[in-house]
Amino acid sequence: MFKEITDVFNWLNNAGVFAFLLVLIPAVYKLVKPLLTHKVQTEKNVQAQQALELGLKFANVIVPEFAVLAALSKSNRKKESIRFVNSQLTANGFDLDVQTISGLVEKAYQAYKVSGGDNHAPVVTPAPTEVITPEEGTDSNA
């Protein structure tokens, strides 16, 4: 009889621990999940910010190089710049979509234009003028 009573108490004890864990685990999960989600999101934001900064640095390096290549058309210069920035980011473990990289290249090009490096502006060559000096004489003496 004593063994049966002990078994009942042990069963209640085990069932209580099981019930306690059954309540505790979801409660802890509900408390910890927002914190972990926020931490993961923060890490993703930091990584995305690093990728954007590095991509802009690569774009600032390559845009002036491609801007002076007369052998490439304007669209090919942009395509090659995007390809270069994408390959460099991939080599460094970052992955950005093409639209974002295109925006970074465009931003670098606009900064390049503002700094005076735009070679797409028409080149203005002054028309030659004829200047007659008094030593040369005039056409009326002929």
Side-chain angles (χ1 to χ4, degrees):
M1 174 104 168
F2 182 71
K3 182 182 179 319
E4 287 138 2
I5 294 173
T6 310
D7 287 341
V8 168
F9 279 114
N10 285 338
W11 180 80
L12 289 174
N13 187 21
N14 291 339
V17 170
F18 178 72
F20 176 73
L21 291 177
L22 197 62
V23 171
L24 180 68
I25 291 173
V28 169
Y29 177 77
K30 281 194 169 225
L31 290 173
V32 173
K33 184 183 176 195
L35 298 174
L36 292 176
T37 304
H38 179 69
K39 179 68 174 170
V40 168
Q41 189 62 37
T42 302
E43 290 298 321
K44 284 182 182 178
N45 288 342
V46 167
Q47 185 179 15
Q49 183 66 29
Q50 289 173 345
L52 289 173
E53 289 173 2
L54 188 60
L56 186 58
K57 287 180 183 178
F58 285 136
N60 285 332
V61 167
I62 201 63
V63 163
E65 297 293 325
F66 281 131
V68 296
L69 288 179
L72 294 175
S73 68
K74 293 177 189 178
S75 62
N76 285 340
R77 291 174 191 171
K78 185 172 183 179
K79 286 178 189 176
E80 288 300 315
S81 296
I82 290 170
R83 188 190 59 74
F84 174 81
V85 172
N86 189 26
S87 67
Q88 292 300 314
L89 285 173
T90 303
N92 284 293
F94 294 107
D95 184 30
L96 292 177
D97 60 353
V98 176
Q99 290 85 6
T100 304
I101 295 172
S102 176
L104 293 174
V105 168
E106 185 64 31
K107 183 176 181 179
Y109 178 68
Q110 294 303 324
Y112 178 67
K113 277 182 20 180
V114 168
S115 70
D118 185 19
N119 68 342
H120 296 119
V123 177
V124 178
T125 307
T129 59
E130 185 176 332
V131 177
I132 300 176
T133 60
E135 296 88 36
E136 292 179 5
T138 60
D139 290 337
S140 61
N141 289 347

